[in-house]
């Protein structure tokens, strides 16, 4: 298998199953090559500005070579450990992000239905609430103004949550909140929001309210 890997270093920037990635890395190694999982964390805007963070898993003694290469595209490069660890870290980060985005959507819709103005909602979540964060700065205005230009597509978050659930089962880790959000994302995708930004999950609540 993978005879073309001999003498090569393969860097996978995608977000796939850590189990799958580890199996691929083992096959690459058996054929004389090296493989690193190096998923990115950040938005399309971060990519354009070279501000993404890349979390790397793979052979530590070759990490500096990979860091030097990736430094041309990323603002921060983190070594997570052996093969698969970059992906596990990325999934853990996206897990809390998915929960936060859904929670923010629920809260904004609740405030909207109560009659709170857009300006007051914005002030609440950007200046008053203890939950203010880079994520709320990034997604609040998109939800309030129904601007769902893609920074991170809803369908990709749905895909990531499904990977989380499968990996959680293998690790024997219960993920009840992630499972719920994954189902909500599937419903939102079924309603036609898959190609839009993940912030469009708020439309699931808006359209589901009489």
């Amino acid at each position: 298998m993978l005879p073309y890997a001999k003498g090569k270093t393969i860097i996978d920037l995608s977000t796939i199953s850590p189990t799958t990635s580890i199996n691929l890395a083992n096959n690459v190694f058996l054929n004389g090559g090296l493989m690193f999982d190096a998923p990115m964390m950040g938005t399309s805007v971060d990519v354009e500005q070279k501000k993404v963070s890349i979390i790397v898993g793979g052979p530590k003694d070759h990490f500096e070579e990979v860091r030097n290469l990736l430094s041309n595209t990323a603002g921060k490069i983190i070594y997570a450990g052996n093969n698969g660890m970059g992906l596990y870290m990325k999934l853990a980060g996206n897990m809390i992000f998915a929960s936060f985005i859904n929670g923010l959507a629920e809260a904004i819709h609740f405030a909207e239905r109560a009659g709170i103005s857009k300006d007051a909602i914005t002030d609440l979540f950007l200046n008053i609430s203890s939950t203010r964060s880079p994520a709320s700065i990034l997604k609040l205005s998109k939800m309030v103004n129904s601007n769902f230009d893609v920074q991170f597509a809803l369908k990709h978050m749905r895909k990531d949550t499904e990977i989380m659930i499968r990996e959680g089962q293998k690790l024997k880790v219960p993920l009840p909140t992630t499972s719920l959000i994954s189902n909500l994302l599937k419903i939102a995708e079924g309603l036609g929001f898959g190609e839009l930004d993940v912030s469009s999950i708020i439309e699931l609540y808006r359209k589901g309210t009489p």
Side-chain angles (χ1 to χ4, degrees):
M1 293 179 66
L2 303 177
Y4 53 82
K6 186 174 181 179
K8 294 182 173 65
T9 298
I10 298 170
I11 303 172
D12 182 12
L13 299 172
S14 62
T15 302
I16 63 173
S17 159
T19 300
T20 299
S21 184
I22 292 168
N23 289 335
L24 285 171
N26 288 338
N27 283 328
V28 169
F29 180 76
L30 290 174
N31 283 273
L34 297 173
M35 178 173 164
F36 290 81
D37 48 286
M40 295 182 177
M41 294 202 75
T43 67
S44 57
V45 175
D46 294 325
V47 172
E48 293 170 1
Q49 299 177 352
K50 297 184 180 179
K51 292 181 179 179
V52 290
S53 295
I54 298 181
I55 309 173
V56 180
K60 188 173 184 179
D61 52 346
H62 291 271
F63 171 62
E64 288 306 317
E65 302 166 30
V66 173
R67 184 210 293 272
N68 291 337
L69 178 62
L70 294 176
S71 64
N72 295 310
T73 59
K76 187 173 185 179
I77 302 165
I78 303 160
Y79 180 70
N82 295 329
N83 287 102
M85 293 301 105
L87 285 162
Y88 280 120
M89 279 190 67
K90 166 69 181 287
L91 292 172
N94 272 11
M95 191 180 296
I96 192 66
F97 183 68
S99 296
F100 181 83
I101 292 302
N102 180 72
L104 184 63
E106 283 192 51
I108 290 172
H109 182 242
F110 174 82
E112 288 174 340
R113 288 305 298 262
I116 299 174
S117 69
K118 287 185 179 181
D119 288 344
I121 292 172
T122 300
D123 191 35
L124 171 63
F125 291 112
L126 294 189
N127 301 310
I128 300 171
S129 172
S130 60
T131 62
R132 61 189 181 277
S133 66
S136 55
I137 292 171
L138 191 65
K139 299 302 183 185
L140 177 70
S141 65
K142 297 181 77 64
M143 291 186 182
V144 169
N145 296 306
S146 299
N147 170 16
F148 304 127
D149 291 343
V150 179
Q151 294 171 330
F152 183 61
L154 185 144
K155 66 179 182 180
H156 296 319
M157 181 61 82
R158 185 268 307 155
K159 179 264 296 181
D160 285 359
T161 59
E162 291 179 345
I163 295 173
M164 294 167 199
I165 293 165
R166 291 196 298 270
E167 292 296 326
Q169 290 170 342
K170 293 172 185 175
L171 295 170
K172 295 183 170 32
V173 175
L175 300 175
T177 302
T178 302
S179 297
L180 172 60
I181 293 167
S182 185
N183 286 330
L184 292 172
L185 290 166
K186 288 176 188 175
I187 295 170
E189 188 172 7
L191 291 172
F193 305 128
E195 301 291 339
L196 303 180
D197 189 76
V198 66
S199 57
S200 65
I201 194 171
I202 194 170
E203 294 299 309
L204 178 64
Y205 297 100
R206 288 172 174 156
K207 293 186 182 304
T209 304

